[in-house]
Amino acid sequence: MAFTLRVADIATRVICEEPAVSLPVSGASRRFLVPDGPADATLRVEGRGALADPSGEKLFDSGLVWRLYRDAGDFVFSFTSAALTPVPYKLARFDASFTSGTLSFNRLCLPDARVLEPLEFPLPELMMINLLARGRGVEIHGCGVIDRDNSAYLFAGQSGAGKSTIARLWHDEGATILSDDRVVLRLRDGRVWIYGTPWHGEEEFASPAAAPLSRLFFLDHGPQNRLHPMRGVQAAARLFVCSFPPFYDEAGLNFTLELLAGIIDRVPCVGLEFVPDTDVISFVPIGV
């Protein structure tokens, strides 16, 4: 069984060569499935017996469900669950480019060994973050909107800043919501493009659409709708806080920092304090 998922114009081919195994794709990820064709990355899925953490250097520990190791030149994500077993219930091993990987499941931990879920959170997002950091782009914590005039806006902010509220208000006005929580920015022919992702927030908006980015807004709640320009170091710092760089990878981190600076240079950045009602919809384009 196999399928191809395309996010931010990056196609990942997911393959399992065991004929009796199914690879379910659920939720918003279904909207990002595309016909088979050339792939930028390949992930092979397999069922195995008991798994163990690699013996290599531990690079990062999320403190929750996953850890990252560097082992024999590869990157290895180890996933555990207190509800299952203290040892890994799956391992994802990638080459240094993150274009080829193997996802191994511990069948002893699964309720049905014939069902392997390759897109279970957070692995697909971790894979994308690392692929992007190898010269491709950056994932941003933000709401992406394409209005009815095909102008694209990014409303960036951390949890609680109002991304889901903005998404709902714009959606009610007929806009396309790329995501209410995670978007991807990439450079194409000198322009910054914004892409939707399957990794949505509480409003569950997720679209595979994309468009050149017109404006970048940094969200804050306020007593009234108000805009203030943000440039240079101030804008770069706000965008970095909302980005997902691989802190454990020096080369990837350096690329991300350079890309964020390039984005700030190319896209007008504005701080937006807003009141959560429909007035902000007409206020944003007029006030820029």
Side-chain angles (χ1 to χ4, degrees):
M1 183 177 180
F3 63 83
T4 301
L5 191 79
R6 184 183 294 275
V7 179
D9 276 345
I10 298 173
T12 301
R13 181 76 170 153
V14 181
I15 303 169
C16 182
E17 296 178 350
E18 301 175 40
V21 167
S22 65
L23 303 175
V25 179
S26 60
S29 294
R30 291 178 179 269
R31 305 170 203 168
F32 293 78
L33 293 175
V34 296
D36 295 342
D40 301 284
T42 301
L43 180 65
R44 299 187 179 277
V45 182
E46 63 179 15
R48 291 176 54 186
L51 301 172
D53 285 329
S55 58
E57 176 191 4
K58 183 192 294 186
L59 298 180
F60 188 81
D61 189 335
S62 72
L64 296 172
V65 300
W66 65 273
R67 297 179 294 274
L68 176 63
Y69 295 83
R70 187 71 161 156
D71 184 58
D74 293 337
F75 291 93
V76 185
F77 292 97
S78 173
F79 297 88
T80 57
S81 170
L84 297 175
T85 172
V87 297
Y89 73 91
K90 66 180 180 182
L91 293 175
R93 177 179 289 269
F94 296 95
D95 65 5
S97 68
F98 272 83
T99 58
S100 180
T102 299
L103 175 59
S104 303
F105 285 87
N106 180 348
R107 279 201 164 102
L108 303 175
C109 298
L110 303 178
D112 186 344
R114 297 167 300 177
V115 179
L116 306 180
E117 298 190 38
L119 300 186
E120 180 187 38
F121 180 83
L123 177 59
E125 190 174 1
L126 293 172
M127 185 176 178
M128 174 60 68
I129 287 170
N130 284 277
L131 272 170
L132 290 169
R134 279 147 180 81
R136 299 172 186 261
V138 62
E139 183 178 318
I140 300 293
H141 202 183
C143 165
V145 172
I146 302 177
D147 68 15
R148 286 178 291 187
D149 296 325
N150 210 39
S151 294
Y153 308 121
L154 168 57
F155 299 90
Q158 295 178 297
S159 298
K163 298 184 299 297
S164 293
T165 299
I166 285 287
R168 185 175 61 253
L169 292 171
W170 279 90
H171 177 263
D172 291 346
E173 294 295 316
T176 297
I177 310 302
L178 299 174
S179 173
D180 58 333
D181 199 55
R182 302 282 202 277
V183 297
V184 169
L185 300 181
R186 301 185 68 186
L187 289 181
R188 285 175 48 185
D189 300 322
R191 300 188 69 181
V192 179
W193 279 67
I194 183 170
Y195 298 81
T197 76
W199 310 302
H200 54 70
E202 62 186 40
E203 292 295 327
E204 300 187 4
F205 292 116
S207 168
L213 184 61
S214 301
R215 296 288 187 274
L216 196 168
F217 298 91
F218 296 105
L219 286 179
D220 291 296
H221 291 289
Q224 61 183 6
N225 293 325
R226 188 170 75 90
L227 295 168
H228 52 94
M230 298 183 71
R231 300 182 179 87
V233 174
Q234 183 186 22
R238 283 292 299 267
L239 189 56
F240 179 74
V241 169
C242 297
S243 69
F244 293 88
F247 292 102
Y248 41 78
D249 180 351
E250 182 178 0
L253 179 58
N254 288 337
F255 165 77
T256 302
L257 291 171
E258 292 177 6
L259 177 60
L260 294 177
I263 292 168
I264 294 299
D265 287 342
R266 289 171 171 85
V267 179
C269 298
V270 183
L272 171 61
E273 295 180 22
F274 78 102
V275 178
D277 60 37
T278 55
D279 288 346
V280 71
I281 304 300
S282 56
F283 176 80
V284 165
I286 294 173
V288 173

